[in-house]
Amino acid sequence: MSDELTIRILRSVAEVHAAHLLEANGYSSDEAASLETMLYRYTNAPYLFLGAFTPEREIAGYIMSTQSADTLVTHASMETHDPEGHTVCVHSVCVAPEHRGKGVALRLLKEYTEMVRKYNEEGSRKINRLAMMSRQNLVPLYERAGYRVLGPSKVVHGAEKWYDCQPAHPPPARKHRHKDGRQYRGDKPSYHSPQQQLCRTHKPIPYLTADHPRKKAEQMKN
């Protein structure tokens, strides 16, 4: 069962090599990422390479991604990593044959989504969305993991038809703070100074024109 597995970030190049064996076994030759590509992703975005490991420390499955400025998975996102990109593009969700049908992929997906949410909430990474592509037969799996299908992908990758997917509930906006401690969300401040709050809670005093009764009374007194 998946409960026996440890979910953690990959820790070494040797583990990437082991993951590549699963990649080559799980995808067709025109879909599988090369070892060179996987090493590039691990070197540049190790925090996005999550694995499931047996008590014997053998890799049972993994998810690997890159960051991109695009909102969906593209060919460019498969080839490069943009550390300033606000989208995490998932490129592989792979499980070893002997561990399939045991809930490993579902657990990986849920923990991966939560991991990215924490990156965003803690402020270590500014990530607005997760994006991935799914084969039609795997759509139910991603839906159980909390994802929704947006429609057919424009990306042609191998002979299979792919569908764009994103979480039904995107990562929350990261909280920022000004140097003086004021807090705001995104690019629009939600903080108001005491002076601003006073102005917001008190109605402005109307200007008294010359023909206003009170103004006339004051003039008569003078």
Side-chain angles (χ1 to χ4, degrees):
M1 296 295 290
S2 65
D3 292 343
E4 301 173 354
L5 302 176
T6 299
I7 307 296
R8 62 169 173 80
I9 296 293
L10 271 66
R11 297 173 179 168
S12 67
V13 169
E15 291 182 345
V16 178
H17 279 261
H20 179 254
L21 294 178
L22 300 189
E23 177 88 6
N25 183 272
Y27 294 96
S28 61
S29 58
D30 56 350
E31 294 175 348
S34 66
L35 177 59
E36 181 182 8
T37 296
M38 293 181 70
L39 288 172
Y40 167 82
R41 293 170 181 170
Y42 175 72
T43 301
N44 290 276
Y47 54 91
L48 294 177
F49 215 135
L50 189 70
F53 293 85
T54 67
E56 294 74 32
R57 299 182 181 179
E58 296 179 352
I59 190 165
Y62 65 90
I63 295 178
M64 66 174 173
S65 307
T66 57
Q67 282 174 250
S68 172
D70 296 321
T71 57
L72 298 172
V73 176
T74 62
H75 283 294
S77 70
M78 295 180 187
E79 298 169 357
T80 59
H81 168 68
D82 179 1
E84 300 300 321
H86 293 177
T87 303
V88 168
C89 295
V90 177
H91 303 303
S92 293
V93 179
C94 198
V95 176
E98 62 272 23
H99 291 282
R100 292 174 188 167
K102 301 178 181 179
V104 177
L106 182 61
R107 183 181 171 194
L108 272 170
L109 283 164
K110 289 183 176 181
E111 296 210 18
Y112 198 88
T113 304
E114 183 60 25
M115 178 185 75
V116 172
R117 289 184 191 278
K118 287 182 178 179
Y119 285 157
N120 197 50
E121 291 174 350
E122 294 168 358
S124 58
R125 311 283 169 187
K126 187 175 181 181
I127 299 168
N128 293 340
R129 66 186 64 83
L130 270 157
M132 64 175 62
M133 298 191 308
S134 170
R135 296 186 182 122
Q136 188 171 15
N137 66 309
L138 292 177
V139 166
L141 167 66
Y142 294 115
E143 289 179 336
R144 290 199 302 275
Y147 286 72
R148 60 191 177 95
V149 177
L150 304 181
S153 174
K154 295 181 180 179
V155 174
V156 177
H157 187 59
E160 293 272 358
K161 188 173 183 63
W162 298 86
Y163 294 83
D164 287 317
C165 300
Q166 287 185 348
H169 303 288
R174 186 179 67 169
K175 296 181 179 180
H176 304 271
R177 288 187 180 274
H178 290 283
K179 292 181 179 180
D180 60 3
R182 292 178 297 163
Q183 182 176 298
Y184 63 92
R185 280 182 172 272
D187 298 324
K188 296 183 178 181
S190 59
Y191 169 88
H192 296 283
S193 67
Q195 292 81 4
Q196 290 172 318
Q197 291 174 354
L198 185 63
C199 293
R200 288 164 61 89
T201 56
H202 289 76
K203 294 182 180 180
I205 299 174
Y207 176 74
L208 301 182
T209 60
D211 59 347
H212 192 280
R214 192 191 305 174
K215 191 70 173 180
K216 288 182 178 180
E218 291 177 354
Q219 290 174 347
M220 290 178 66
K221 289 180 180 180
N222 297 329

